[in-house]
Amino acid sequence: MKLNSFSPIPEDDNELHLPELVYWASLGEVVEVEKALANGVDVNQTDDEGYSALQAAAENGYLEVVQLLVSKGADVQHKAPHTALELAEMAEQHQIATFLKSL
């Protein structure tokens, strides 16, 4: 699984157990994200560290997933310890940062 260095998930964790939506968002799997949302998964679902699907998608550069999550009501101000915008900026995901700033 691709996670940038800003992720709160420990690198030494051999078995990452992410919630469904956070997992699919971190991989940029827009179809799976859509399925999870259609099945009633909370758009603001977080992992044990408070890291949301929006943060995962923003940090890893998945603009389409970010846009989908925002359109479904994802909390763009959620902070754990950084917002999705801050993570996108740190990861140099310029398109995502621009999109999030436009909201």
Side-chain angles (χ1 to χ4, degrees):
M1 175 172 25
K2 177 184 173 190
L3 293 171
N4 284 314
S5 61
F6 310 114
S7 173
I9 298 171
E11 290 181 21
D12 61 349
D13 189 351
N14 292 327
E15 293 186 40
L16 297 175
H17 298 289
L18 294 175
E20 178 182 12
L21 191 62
V22 177
Y23 175 77
W24 291 123
S26 72
L27 296 176
E29 295 289 338
V30 70
V31 171
E32 296 299 329
V33 169
E34 287 173 337
K35 284 182 192 176
L37 293 171
N39 287 332
V41 173
D42 180 6
V43 71
N44 291 305
Q45 180 183 71
T46 61
D47 66 11
D48 292 341
E49 301 292 325
Y51 193 65
S52 72
L54 179 61
Q55 290 168 309
E59 178 181 9
N60 288 296
Y62 299 116
L63 180 59
E64 188 176 0
V65 175
V66 168
Q67 292 169 327
L68 172 63
L69 293 168
V70 168
S71 76
K72 298 295 184 180
D75 180 5
V76 297
Q77 298 303 319
H78 177 74
K79 191 169 188 161
H82 303 285
T83 65
L85 173 58
E86 292 167 339
L87 289 168
E89 289 177 332
M90 287 187 285
E92 299 182 2
Q93 302 295 345
H94 303 296
Q95 285 184 312
I96 292 171
T98 298
F99 170 74
L100 291 171
K101 286 179 184 178
S102 75
L103 301 175

